[in-house]
Amino acid sequence: MTSPRVVVIGTGYVGLTTGACLASLGHAVVCADADQDKVDRLARGRIDILEPGLAELVTSGTAAGRLTCVGTSEKAFGRFLRNAEIVFLCVPTPMGAGGLADLGILETVVRQISELLPPGCTVVTKSTVPVGTATRLTQLLRRDDVSMVSNPEFLREGNAVRDFLHPDRVVVGSADREAAEQVASLYASLNAPIVLTDAASAELIKYAANCFLAVKLSYANAIAELCDRAGADVADVAAGMGFDRRIGKEFLAPGPGWGGSCLPKDTSALLQLADSMDFEFRLVRAAIDTNIRQHKRVVDKIREVVTGTRLGSMSGVRLALLGLTFKAGTNDLRDSPALAVAALLREAGAELVAYDPAVDSADSRIADLPFPVTDDPHHAARGADAIVVLTEWPEFRELDWHRLATVVRTPVVVDTRNLLDASSLSRAGFGWTGLGKPPRSAMATVPPSRRAVEAVPTPVTTPA
């Protein structure tokens, strides 16, 4: 059987991963993007996205002739579209006014390709879209001979390739059963459970799943705060919970809050959907409020460590921030809780210097940050009153902490990810405090007014 001719429009995290992975499964795939410079970089083997395994798949797919990248302004794009059997739409749907997903780019693309699609073609929304979008796009297409299918992605940044090739499930929804089965057949070799449903249900599954994860993360952070107050150990509490199969071990690690390109906009979009249907989704609202409160709670903990009280002045306090991306394994800064905490620290008067292994000091995305970003963690730590871990990069465990102790003003670490080993830090002369960890002893080297507590951090899992 001949492999379907697939066109993927959009080469961001979702689009490029979708195209490269489908090509690795043996399908003939064309990835198209409106950004010609990005397409040219892809043609030269340059991948802007930090995603393990993706560059290798793009290179191998291109070399095998199964993966082609073109600009949407190129003549070749129209030719590929006219011969396409399946077209994936993987363009941005950012948060718009009031929290609703902005479908402007998606709708523009649908209008542009409408007349170029061959009869019998299937158009697939991979982007996260509100319930009812498939119906809306069908009306925009104005093509009775073209089917619309919803096939939401469930890719975690930093794990996108693995998630695509080893999915928990594949969700496909459409009013056209034959078209839905055609799309599902693309994933046949993965042997994953297939959920065939209507388009509205498929669209809602995506939001329902992501918002549940947001609720779980906010719950984990709330439990960590309760552990702080009760003298319990959140690592042990999370472990005890995680062995329950109904709960699971994932998404139980505390942190400075959740963020990224999905959870903030998806929770807001689900609230908007609920409001439009006269339903007050208080549980999701509480998860969002808890997440915002978490940023302030982390700042309060930092304030208490460096001043001795949660009401102490942060004016002139110098802090070294380790981590800016919203999680380890990605260079994505969108809605990063690290940046949210940093903003609050700046408002409180703290002086900040940041280091992140995935963010170069010359990165244009950080040009407007009100604090410097350095390429050397030792430079960030120089003269610091505390080192604050905001992203769970494994590399931070391997830093030369003995050397760092010689350049800081006060050897204290506030670990908002419970990432580091307190015993190792103690041997280097550092005090350590985390989230939801019971106090064991104070470091004698830390002045009483700036004394941190030591506890052994044993995170159960890393949140996505």
Side-chain angles (χ1 to χ4, degrees), residues 14 21 37-38 59 96 114 122 155 163 165 192 250 259 266 275-276 279 289 340 347 367 454:
V14 175
C21 288
D37 288 339
K38 181 191 290 188
T59 299
S114 176
T122 297
L155 307 178
D163 287 345
L165 297 177
E250 301 295 325
D266 290 354
D275 288 345
S276 70
F279 171 60
D289 292 343
E347 288 178 14
E454 177 189 1

PDB file of all heavy atoms in Angstrom, residues 14 21 37-38 59 96 114 122 155 163 165 192 250 259 266 275-276 279 289 340 347 367 454:
ATOM      1  N   VAL A  14       5.131  21.356  17.771  1.00  0.00           N
ATOM      2  CA  VAL A  14       4.169  20.338  17.365  1.00  0.00           C
ATOM      3  C   VAL A  14       4.350  19.957  15.903  1.00  0.00           C
ATOM      4  O   VAL A  14       4.416  18.772  15.550  1.00  0.00           O
ATOM      5  CB  VAL A  14       2.728  20.821  17.615  1.00  0.00           C
ATOM      6  CG1 VAL A  14       1.722  19.802  17.079  1.00  0.00           C
ATOM      7  CG2 VAL A  14       2.503  21.069  19.102  1.00  0.00           C
ATOM      8  N   CYS A  21       8.421  12.759  12.953  1.00  0.00           N
ATOM      9  CA  CYS A  21       8.048  11.441  13.481  1.00  0.00           C
ATOM     10  C   CYS A  21       7.230  10.639  12.469  1.00  0.00           C
ATOM     11  O   CYS A  21       7.425   9.423  12.325  1.00  0.00           O
ATOM     12  CB  CYS A  21       7.280  11.595  14.793  1.00  0.00           C
ATOM     13  SG  CYS A  21       8.305  12.105  16.197  1.00  0.00           S
ATOM     14  N   ASP A  37      13.003  31.997   6.538  1.00  0.00           N
ATOM     15  CA  ASP A  37      14.319  31.866   7.173  1.00  0.00           C
ATOM     16  C   ASP A  37      14.399  30.575   7.979  1.00  0.00           C
ATOM     17  O   ASP A  37      15.424  29.885   7.978  1.00  0.00           O
ATOM     18  CB  ASP A  37      14.588  33.070   8.082  1.00  0.00           C
ATOM     19  CG  ASP A  37      14.856  34.342   7.309  1.00  0.00           C
ATOM     20  OD1 ASP A  37      15.227  34.240   6.119  1.00  0.00           O
ATOM     21  OD2 ASP A  37      14.694  35.441   7.873  1.00  0.00           O
ATOM     22  N   LYS A  38      13.301  30.242   8.673  1.00  0.00           N
ATOM     23  CA  LYS A  38      13.281  29.006   9.446  1.00  0.00           C
ATOM     24  C   LYS A  38      13.390  27.799   8.520  1.00  0.00           C
ATOM     25  O   LYS A  38      14.117  26.843   8.812  1.00  0.00           O
ATOM     26  CB  LYS A  38      12.002  28.907  10.272  1.00  0.00           C
ATOM     27  CG  LYS A  38      11.926  27.650  11.140  1.00  0.00           C
ATOM     28  CD  LYS A  38      10.543  27.451  11.732  1.00  0.00           C
ATOM     29  CE  LYS A  38      10.225  28.466  12.787  1.00  0.00           C
ATOM     30  NZ  LYS A  38       8.942  28.142  13.489  1.00  0.00           N
ATOM     31  N   THR A  59      17.132  15.040  10.205  1.00  0.00           N
ATOM     32  CA  THR A  59      18.259  14.718   9.320  1.00  0.00           C
ATOM     33  C   THR A  59      18.049  13.398   8.595  1.00  0.00           C
ATOM     34  O   THR A  59      18.242  13.298   7.373  1.00  0.00           O
ATOM     35  CB  THR A  59      19.564  14.663  10.141  1.00  0.00           C
ATOM     36  OG1 THR A  59      19.798  15.935  10.746  1.00  0.00           O
ATOM     37  CG2 THR A  59      20.744  14.306   9.247  1.00  0.00           C
ATOM     38  N   GLY A  96      -5.715  34.576  23.595  1.00  0.00           N
ATOM     39  CA  GLY A  96      -6.177  35.867  23.129  1.00  0.00           C
ATOM     40  C   GLY A  96      -6.891  36.638  24.224  1.00  0.00           C
ATOM     41  O   GLY A  96      -6.736  36.368  25.415  1.00  0.00           O
ATOM     42  N   SER A 114      -7.810  26.582   1.031  1.00  0.00           N
ATOM     43  CA  SER A 114      -9.108  26.014   0.661  1.00  0.00           C
ATOM     44  C   SER A 114      -9.192  25.604  -0.806  1.00  0.00           C
ATOM     45  O   SER A 114      -9.578  24.478  -1.127  1.00  0.00           O
ATOM     46  CB  SER A 114     -10.224  27.005   0.990  1.00  0.00           C
ATOM     47  OG  SER A 114     -11.476  26.516   0.547  1.00  0.00           O
ATOM     48  N   THR A 122      -8.149  15.249   3.458  1.00  0.00           N
ATOM     49  CA  THR A 122      -8.544  15.366   4.862  1.00  0.00           C
ATOM     50  C   THR A 122      -7.678  16.416   5.537  1.00  0.00           C
ATOM     51  O   THR A 122      -6.446  16.363   5.457  1.00  0.00           O
ATOM     52  CB  THR A 122      -8.377  14.028   5.605  1.00  0.00           C
ATOM     53  OG1 THR A 122      -9.247  13.057   5.016  1.00  0.00           O
ATOM     54  CG2 THR A 122      -8.707  14.172   7.080  1.00  0.00           C
ATOM     55  N   LEU A 155       1.987  16.235  23.500  1.00  0.00           N
ATOM     56  CA  LEU A 155       3.447  16.212  23.510  1.00  0.00           C
ATOM     57  C   LEU A 155       3.986  17.115  24.609  1.00  0.00           C
ATOM     58  O   LEU A 155       3.622  18.286  24.691  1.00  0.00           O
ATOM     59  CB  LEU A 155       4.004  16.671  22.160  1.00  0.00           C
ATOM     60  CG  LEU A 155       3.463  15.953  20.919  1.00  0.00           C
ATOM     61  CD1 LEU A 155       4.079  16.557  19.661  1.00  0.00           C
ATOM     62  CD2 LEU A 155       3.748  14.456  20.995  1.00  0.00           C
ATOM     63  N   ASP A 163       7.105  11.064  23.262  1.00  0.00           N
ATOM     64  CA  ASP A 163       5.653  11.054  23.448  1.00  0.00           C
ATOM     65  C   ASP A 163       4.929  10.728  22.147  1.00  0.00           C
ATOM     66  O   ASP A 163       3.896  10.055  22.153  1.00  0.00           O
ATOM     67  CB  ASP A 163       5.175  12.416  23.977  1.00  0.00           C
ATOM     68  CG  ASP A 163       5.552  12.635  25.437  1.00  0.00           C
ATOM     69  OD1 ASP A 163       5.919  11.653  26.108  1.00  0.00           O
ATOM     70  OD2 ASP A 163       5.479  13.790  25.893  1.00  0.00           O
ATOM     71  N   LEU A 165       6.154   8.937  19.553  1.00  0.00           N
ATOM     72  CA  LEU A 165       6.430   7.563  19.118  1.00  0.00           C
ATOM     73  C   LEU A 165       5.993   6.512  20.134  1.00  0.00           C
ATOM     74  O   LEU A 165       5.901   5.328  19.795  1.00  0.00           O
ATOM     75  CB  LEU A 165       7.922   7.406  18.821  1.00  0.00           C
ATOM     76  CG  LEU A 165       8.455   8.274  17.665  1.00  0.00           C
ATOM     77  CD1 LEU A 165       9.957   8.089  17.511  1.00  0.00           C
ATOM     78  CD2 LEU A 165       7.737   7.952  16.360  1.00  0.00           C
ATOM     79  N   ALA A 192      -0.691   1.853  19.629  1.00  0.00           N
ATOM     80  CA  ALA A 192      -1.236   2.616  20.744  1.00  0.00           C
ATOM     81  C   ALA A 192      -2.755   2.535  20.732  1.00  0.00           C
ATOM     82  O   ALA A 192      -3.377   2.343  19.675  1.00  0.00           O
ATOM     83  CB  ALA A 192      -0.802   4.075  20.640  1.00  0.00           C
ATOM     84  N   GLU A 250       3.290  10.624  38.647  1.00  0.00           N
ATOM     85  CA  GLU A 250       3.649  11.805  37.870  1.00  0.00           C
ATOM     86  C   GLU A 250       2.940  13.062  38.382  1.00  0.00           C
ATOM     87  O   GLU A 250       1.860  13.002  38.959  1.00  0.00           O
ATOM     88  CB  GLU A 250       3.306  11.599  36.393  1.00  0.00           C
ATOM     89  CG  GLU A 250       4.004  10.413  35.742  1.00  0.00           C
ATOM     90  CD  GLU A 250       5.507  10.585  35.685  1.00  0.00           C
ATOM     91  OE1 GLU A 250       5.957  11.729  35.499  1.00  0.00           O
ATOM     92  OE2 GLU A 250       6.224   9.585  35.839  1.00  0.00           O
ATOM     93  N   GLY A 259       3.784  26.329  34.127  1.00  0.00           N
ATOM     94  CA  GLY A 259       3.764  27.329  33.060  1.00  0.00           C
ATOM     95  C   GLY A 259       3.959  26.670  31.713  1.00  0.00           C
ATOM     96  O   GLY A 259       3.535  25.541  31.494  1.00  0.00           O
ATOM     97  N   ASP A 266      -4.469  26.777  28.192  1.00  0.00           N
ATOM     98  CA  ASP A 266      -5.532  25.778  28.133  1.00  0.00           C
ATOM     99  C   ASP A 266      -6.471  25.893  29.326  1.00  0.00           C
ATOM    100  O   ASP A 266      -7.683  25.694  29.189  1.00  0.00           O
ATOM    101  CB  ASP A 266      -4.927  24.373  28.061  1.00  0.00           C
ATOM    102  CG  ASP A 266      -4.253  24.102  26.723  1.00  0.00           C
ATOM    103  OD1 ASP A 266      -4.356  24.962  25.835  1.00  0.00           O
ATOM    104  OD2 ASP A 266      -3.624  23.049  26.572  1.00  0.00           O
ATOM    105  N   ASP A 275     -17.644  29.352  30.979  1.00  0.00           N
ATOM    106  CA  ASP A 275     -18.414  30.583  31.169  1.00  0.00           C
ATOM    107  C   ASP A 275     -19.426  30.786  30.054  1.00  0.00           C
ATOM    108  O   ASP A 275     -20.559  31.225  30.293  1.00  0.00           O
ATOM    109  CB  ASP A 275     -17.474  31.788  31.236  1.00  0.00           C
ATOM    110  CG  ASP A 275     -16.679  31.842  32.529  1.00  0.00           C
ATOM    111  OD1 ASP A 275     -17.053  31.124  33.487  1.00  0.00           O
ATOM    112  OD2 ASP A 275     -15.681  32.580  32.584  1.00  0.00           O
ATOM    113  N   SER A 276     -19.010  30.450  28.824  1.00  0.00           N
ATOM    114  CA  SER A 276     -19.916  30.643  27.687  1.00  0.00           C
ATOM    115  C   SER A 276     -21.119  29.714  27.746  1.00  0.00           C
ATOM    116  O   SER A 276     -22.131  29.945  27.096  1.00  0.00           O
ATOM    117  CB  SER A 276     -19.161  30.407  26.368  1.00  0.00           C
ATOM    118  OG  SER A 276     -18.837  29.030  26.193  1.00  0.00           O
ATOM    119  N   PHE A 279     -21.482  27.781  33.045  1.00  0.00           N
ATOM    120  CA  PHE A 279     -21.002  26.814  34.038  1.00  0.00           C
ATOM    121  C   PHE A 279     -19.782  27.396  34.729  1.00  0.00           C
ATOM    122  O   PHE A 279     -18.798  27.757  34.074  1.00  0.00           O
ATOM    123  CB  PHE A 279     -20.635  25.481  33.374  1.00  0.00           C
ATOM    124  CG  PHE A 279     -19.946  24.512  34.297  1.00  0.00           C
ATOM    125  CD1 PHE A 279     -20.569  24.061  35.452  1.00  0.00           C
ATOM    126  CD2 PHE A 279     -18.659  24.057  34.018  1.00  0.00           C
ATOM    127  CE1 PHE A 279     -19.915  23.170  36.312  1.00  0.00           C
ATOM    128  CE2 PHE A 279     -18.012  23.171  34.865  1.00  0.00           C
ATOM    129  CZ  PHE A 279     -18.646  22.727  36.017  1.00  0.00           C
ATOM    130  N   ASP A 289      -5.585  30.104  40.521  1.00  0.00           N
ATOM    131  CA  ASP A 289      -5.327  30.991  41.652  1.00  0.00           C
ATOM    132  C   ASP A 289      -4.205  30.435  42.536  1.00  0.00           C
ATOM    133  O   ASP A 289      -3.352  31.184  43.028  1.00  0.00           O
ATOM    134  CB  ASP A 289      -6.599  31.191  42.476  1.00  0.00           C
ATOM    135  CG  ASP A 289      -7.667  31.974  41.730  1.00  0.00           C
ATOM    136  OD1 ASP A 289      -7.322  32.636  40.729  1.00  0.00           O
ATOM    137  OD2 ASP A 289      -8.843  31.922  42.141  1.00  0.00           O
ATOM    138  N   ALA A 340       8.170  34.528  36.333  1.00  0.00           N
ATOM    139  CA  ALA A 340       7.150  35.129  37.194  1.00  0.00           C
ATOM    140  C   ALA A 340       7.724  35.406  38.580  1.00  0.00           C
ATOM    141  O   ALA A 340       7.491  36.478  39.162  1.00  0.00           O
ATOM    142  CB  ALA A 340       5.932  34.209  37.291  1.00  0.00           C
ATOM    143  N   GLU A 347      10.336  43.376  41.848  1.00  0.00           N
ATOM    144  CA  GLU A 347       9.401  44.337  42.440  1.00  0.00           C
ATOM    145  C   GLU A 347       9.718  44.559  43.921  1.00  0.00           C
ATOM    146  O   GLU A 347       9.505  45.663  44.456  1.00  0.00           O
ATOM    147  CB  GLU A 347       7.966  43.836  42.294  1.00  0.00           C
ATOM    148  CG  GLU A 347       7.418  43.895  40.878  1.00  0.00           C
ATOM    149  CD  GLU A 347       6.005  43.341  40.800  1.00  0.00           C
ATOM    150  OE1 GLU A 347       5.375  43.176  41.874  1.00  0.00           O
ATOM    151  OE2 GLU A 347       5.528  43.082  39.680  1.00  0.00           O
ATOM    152  N   ALA A 367      16.172  40.164  25.859  1.00  0.00           N
ATOM    153  CA  ALA A 367      16.655  41.544  25.735  1.00  0.00           C
ATOM    154  C   ALA A 367      15.910  42.499  26.665  1.00  0.00           C
ATOM    155  O   ALA A 367      16.484  43.484  27.140  1.00  0.00           O
ATOM    156  CB  ALA A 367      16.539  42.011  24.292  1.00  0.00           C
ATOM    157  N   GLU A 454      18.473  22.794  56.520  1.00  0.00           N
ATOM    158  CA  GLU A 454      18.951  21.722  55.663  1.00  0.00           C
ATOM    159  C   GLU A 454      17.977  20.565  55.692  1.00  0.00           C
ATOM    160  O   GLU A 454      17.483  20.184  56.740  1.00  0.00           O
ATOM    161  CB  GLU A 454      20.329  21.239  56.123  1.00  0.00           C
ATOM    162  CG  GLU A 454      20.846  20.062  55.310  1.00  0.00           C
ATOM    163  CD  GLU A 454      22.108  19.487  55.935  1.00  0.00           C
ATOM    164  OE1 GLU A 454      22.533  19.991  56.984  1.00  0.00           O
ATOM    165  OE2 GLU A 454      22.631  18.528  55.376  1.00  0.00           O
TER     166      GLU A 454
END
